[in-house]
Amino acid sequence: MTSLVPYIDARTVEIHYTKHHQWYVDKLNWLIKWTEFENMWLEDIVLKANWVIFNNAAQIWNHTFYRDGLIPWWTVPSGNILEKINAKFWSFDVFKENLTNSAVWNFGSGWTWLVKNQIWDIEILNTSNADCPITKWLIPLLTVDVREHAYYLNYQNRRIEYVNNRWNIVNWDSVNEILW
Ligand code: FE2
């Protein structure tokens, strides 16, 4: 649980996944028992369910995607994703500033995403609460959890520091794999 230190502290990682993430999993399993959703893939539940079931399923999907996109070492984007970023935002620095600003200004709880749209272009997108881009037929490439439980222990109200540090632990190989 310490591999993301100093960017995300061990206690935050532990609570995030053993309490928050696990709570969504436990609640969803309880909610879908004996329902049409019981044997569905998670993505199908996210796309088909409403209200409480959707919220819990989408938060599991979002948190799993977030966790899988973190690596404990710094890398730089290359290959296809770098070409897409340069074509859309002119440079990686401009892209980084845009996504950071979106995350900082994402009001309240939610997620800030880099997604691939249906015309194979990339976009920055803010969602609120549990909302998930796959319901808009967008393919997530990268995300930042901006709910306070993702950073408050270490950063308190300084979301901008948390988001700036997110850039040190991006799994760009995984972004490239999803992109194509
Ligand atoms: Fe979270």
Side-chain angles (χ1 to χ4, degrees), residues 57-115:
Q59 284 292 41
I60 296 166
W61 198 97
N62 295 347
H63 278 90
T64 304
F65 183 79
Y66 174 66
R67 183 199 61 207
D68 289 348
L70 297 168
I71 51 167
W73 54 80
W74 177 79
T75 60
V76 290
S78 60
N80 291 329
I81 187 60
L82 186 60
E83 281 177 27
K84 285 277 182 195
I85 286 171
N86 286 337
K88 176 101 181 188
F89 298 94
W90 298 101
S91 73
F92 178 64
D93 285 344
V94 173
F95 157 73
K96 199 169 140 182
E97 194 181 335
N98 273 269
L99 196 141
T100 300
N101 285 337
S102 289
V104 169
W105 289 97
N106 192 347
F107 187 78
S109 289
W111 299 83
T112 296
W113 307 84
L114 177 67
V115 297

Side-chain angles (χ1 to χ4, degrees), residues 16-17 20-21 24 59 63 66 110-111 145-147 149-150:
H16 206 167
Y17 289 103
H20 296 281
H21 194 164
Y24 298 127
Q59 284 292 41
H63 278 90
Y66 174 66
W111 299 83
D145 185 350
V146 297
R147 190 170 174 182
H149 69 212

Side-chain angles (χ1 to χ4, degrees), residues 4 6-9 12 16-17 63 66 70 100 103-104 110-112 143-169:
L4 300 175
Y7 309 119
I8 304 178
D9 65 284
T12 295
H16 206 167
Y17 289 103
H63 278 90
Y66 174 66
L70 297 168
T100 300
V104 169
W111 299 83
T112 296
T143 194
V144 188
D145 185 350
V146 297
R147 190 170 174 182
E148 286 180 343
H149 69 212
Y151 62 88
Y152 205 83
L153 287 179
N154 201 27
Y155 297 97
Q156 293 83 51
N157 62 324
R158 305 185 307 276
R159 184 190 285 185
I160 191 166
E161 283 182 35
Y162 156 70
V163 178
N164 279 332
N165 278 333
R166 174 71 178 88
W167 294 108
N168 295 307
I169 45 178

Side-chain angles (χ1 to χ4, degrees), residues 125-141:
L125 174 78
N126 276 348
T127 58
S128 292
N129 301 313
D131 202 6
C132 177
I134 67 171
T135 64
K136 301 166 180 53
W137 305 109
L138 298 166
I139 298 172
L141 301 169

